[in-house]
Amino acid sequence: MTRVPTLSVCVPSRNRQIYFQQTIDGLLKRGRDGVQFIFADNSDDPSIMNDFMAERVADGRVIYLPSTGKTLSMMDNWERTIEAATGEWVSFIGDDDFIDPELAGLLERVGRVSPDIEAFSWSALTYSWPYQDEPPGTINLPYERGVIRLPRHEPFRRMFGWFEPAAVPTSGFSIYHAAIHRNLLQRIHDKYEKRYFTHAVVDYDMAMKVICEAQGFGFSMRPFSIFGACPESNSFSIGRLEDTKKKAQIFLDEFGKNFEADPELRDFPFSSFLGVTATIGVVQEVFRKKYNIKSPGWEKGYATACARNAEAYRQREAFDLINAGYEMAFKSWKGGRFLKDYAPVWKGDIPVEPVSGFTDSTVMVRSDIAGVKNPAELWDVVLGMIVPVEALQVDEDGLKGLERTELVSRDLRSKVANAQNGKPARMPGNGKLQHLKGRRR
């Protein structure tokens, strides 16, 4: 590849070779030029991926970073991955995810008409890899084809103000399942300790920096990626108590220190062992205090999000335990003022049945449609149901914002709801936080 790639797709991985290999082959079979792939293995046995990549490194689009022979923290593995990227735009996905390389063409069009856009996001689909007796899920494919600009205050109030939250902030714009321009990444590197990632929860760490520093934000209502949830991922642990605790402990052990012992957290009694919302709260509390971020009134939204997190636990014993932990934290936090805003309701251990059909805004299909076995195969099917990239509406006079803020809210809620159901924050550790998705490292 002689010219600077439009897009660098970064895929870090640790000890999940069976998923990593399928994701790599799914990406490489796409013939799009102007895309660079950085595959970073952080596994205990380097030989598995070294043998697999032996022939694939001949593809001029590929940069392969083998295991160093020692376990890197997720933060350090992501850092070396982004340092190897040379594209104008950079995006990360997990080793059980998928991203459409045709995104590069849309980014080129957006850059021509709106050169101030430095952070670009999109609707994302969610997919659970087949597992034992787990039933297939439902994939929601949006009809919309608009490409819009978001006002700078919108991601900020959703991230730091917890405005209309799900279990996670409905803000988007991390480098994970979003694309960040090289100019913005360089400014972030120069301002924040001469590193790209400075907290163990790498995706939310980067999202907060992007939201504070980006000049312009773009959003495509048409999806460009799939959040995959394999059994080893953090997102798979959502609502599964023992699995959540186990993966959180692994994350902390491999990071090498307890990031919750940070002095900024002295008065913040929430622990990542409670789940994804508490983990994001821990990351954000450190960021707020370290960089003097002000967003008055955020506490009520955070309490609501914690309630949504507790409701993800459908087994009564697990719900009661997580709920008790959150209640204890809220009673001791800020004089108990926000305990009343934390009001989860046990939803019951209700089996979820996959459905197919139509709504006003989406078509719903089963995740096992046409016998697909991974996100790349699902994307082949999805392409026949969504608008082609070349038909997306990019205003030649520059991206425009939606006039009605309720539509902005709806689209962001839809995007993040999909993300959190699939994965979302990378837990301090291996892949993604549940949005700690399945941390990839």
Side-chain angles (χ1 to χ4, degrees):
M1 188 178 294
T2 56
R3 68 183 180 90
V4 173
T6 300
L7 173 66
S8 291
V9 174
C10 297
V11 192
S13 178
R14 171 162 170 77
N15 290 341
R16 299 193 336 198
Q17 296 94 333
I18 188 172
Y19 306 105
F20 195 22
Q21 291 173 0
Q22 293 179 65
T23 296
I24 289 171
D25 280 346
L27 291 170
L28 294 184
K29 79 174 186 178
R30 268 69 187 179
R32 171 81 200 191
D33 291 330
V35 179
Q36 174 188 67
F37 300 105
I38 297 91
F39 302 124
D41 184 39
N42 187 26
S43 299
D44 295 329
D45 182 354
S47 66
I48 299 174
M49 288 308 301
N50 289 350
D51 292 346
F52 178 81
M53 292 299 300
E55 295 182 0
R56 290 165 178 81
V57 293
D59 187 320
R61 300 171 298 169
V62 171
I63 294 176
Y64 173 55
L65 304 179
S67 173
T68 64
K70 67 175 183 178
T71 301
L72 300 176
S73 69
M74 173 179 276
M75 190 167 69
D76 287 342
N77 196 39
W78 280 48
E79 191 76 14
R80 70 164 182 154
T81 306
I82 196 173
E83 287 175 348
T86 61
E88 182 181 3
W89 295 82
V90 180
S91 181
F92 274 68
I93 62 169
D95 56 9
D96 57 352
D97 299 343
F98 185 78
I99 189 170
D100 188 350
E102 293 300 323
L103 171 65
L106 179 60
L107 293 173
E108 290 171 355
R109 293 169 61 195
V110 169
R112 285 194 293 268
V113 302
S114 295
D116 67 310
I117 297 294
E118 295 183 309
F120 193 84
S121 190
W122 51 83
S123 297
L125 308 179
T126 61
Y127 172 82
S128 293
W129 288 67
Y131 177 69
Q132 294 179 3
D133 297 324
E134 291 284 328
T138 299
I139 310 296
N140 292 284
L141 307 177
Y143 302 140
E144 293 96 334
R145 65 177 63 188
V147 181
I148 62 172
R149 173 189 296 274
L150 295 180
R152 291 189 66 192
H153 72 269
E154 189 70 27
F156 185 91
R157 70 170 180 161
R158 290 180 176 279
M159 172 59 77
F160 295 102
W162 292 81
F163 177 70
E164 294 183 335
V168 300
T170 51
S171 53
F173 296 105
S174 176
I175 200 170
Y176 179 61
H177 286 264
I180 309 303
H181 195 275
R182 172 67 55 185
N183 293 343
L184 173 56
L185 288 173
Q186 189 61 52
R187 295 202 309 273
I188 286 174
H189 179 275
D190 293 345
K191 178 175 179 178
Y192 296 91
E193 304 176 28
K194 302 299 181 182
R195 288 180 60 101
Y196 298 101
F197 303 104
T198 52
H199 193 282
V201 183
V202 285
D203 47 356
Y204 275 93
D205 169 54
M206 178 60 76
M208 293 174 203
K209 295 169 184 173
V210 167
I211 287 169
C212 288
E213 306 298 335
Q215 295 178 4
F217 297 86
F219 183 79
S220 168
M221 299 181 204
R222 188 256 204 198
F224 275 94
S225 65
I226 298 175
F227 286 112
C230 71
E232 286 77 19
S233 70
N234 289 335
S235 52
F236 185 83
S237 300
I238 297 176
R240 293 175 167 89
L241 180 59
E242 292 305 317
D243 204 40
T244 296
K245 292 192 293 184
K246 175 182 176 182
K247 287 170 182 172
Q249 187 61 58
I250 290 173
F251 175 76
L252 290 174
D253 291 344
E254 293 184 350
F255 183 58
K257 67 177 183 178
N258 181 7
F259 64 87
E260 294 185 1
D262 195 298
E264 281 88 355
L265 297 173
R266 188 174 296 110
D267 300 319
F268 194 73
F270 297 88
S271 167
S272 61
F273 286 92
L274 291 174
V276 58
T277 314
T279 304
I280 297 169
V282 166
V283 182
Q284 194 174 95
E285 182 74 0
V286 173
F287 193 88
R288 286 179 193 276
K289 291 184 176 178
K290 186 176 290 187
Y291 302 109
N292 195 29
I293 303 299
K294 304 296 184 184
S295 182
W298 64 275
E299 294 89 348
K300 292 183 66 173
Y302 179 68
T304 299
C306 289
R308 301 293 84 80
N309 186 189
E311 289 172 354
Y313 294 88
R314 297 302 179 87
Q315 293 183 344
R316 187 68 204 223
E317 181 181 1
F319 171 83
D320 288 344
L321 185 60
I322 294 298
N323 182 44
Y326 270 122
E327 283 188 346
M328 184 179 300
F330 276 105
K331 285 177 182 177
S332 63
W333 186 50
K334 301 197 173 189
R337 281 183 290 152
F338 301 99
L339 178 61
K340 65 182 183 303
D341 301 301
Y342 171 75
V345 176
W346 181 56
K347 302 293 186 179
D349 192 6
I350 302 172
V352 178
E353 297 293 336
V355 296
S356 300
F358 300 87
T359 71
D360 290 342
S361 59
T362 65
V363 57
M364 299 178 293
V365 300
R366 289 168 55 110
S367 62
D368 61 352
I369 184 172
V372 304
K373 298 275 194 309
N374 59 49
E377 292 180 359
L378 175 62
W379 192 256
D380 288 334
V381 177
V382 165
L383 284 178
M385 303 182 183
I386 59 177
V387 62
V389 177
E390 58 271 18
L392 292 177
Q393 302 166 355
V394 178
D395 196 314
E396 291 300 320
D397 295 327
L399 297 190
K400 303 296 191 299
L402 289 180
E403 295 180 359
R404 298 192 305 167
T405 57
E406 65 269 23
L407 287 181
V408 176
S409 298
R410 183 201 66 192
D411 290 321
L412 284 175
R413 278 200 306 271
S414 174
K415 177 203 166 158
V416 177
N418 285 338
Q420 81 188 28
N421 289 338
K423 337 193 158 176
R426 273 148 184 282
M427 244 158 99
N430 251 3
K432 307 166 196 175
L433 183 94
Q434 298 164 146
H435 193 308
L436 295 183
K437 173 198 167 188
R439 286 164 183 284
R440 301 287 139 262
R441 313 276 299 294

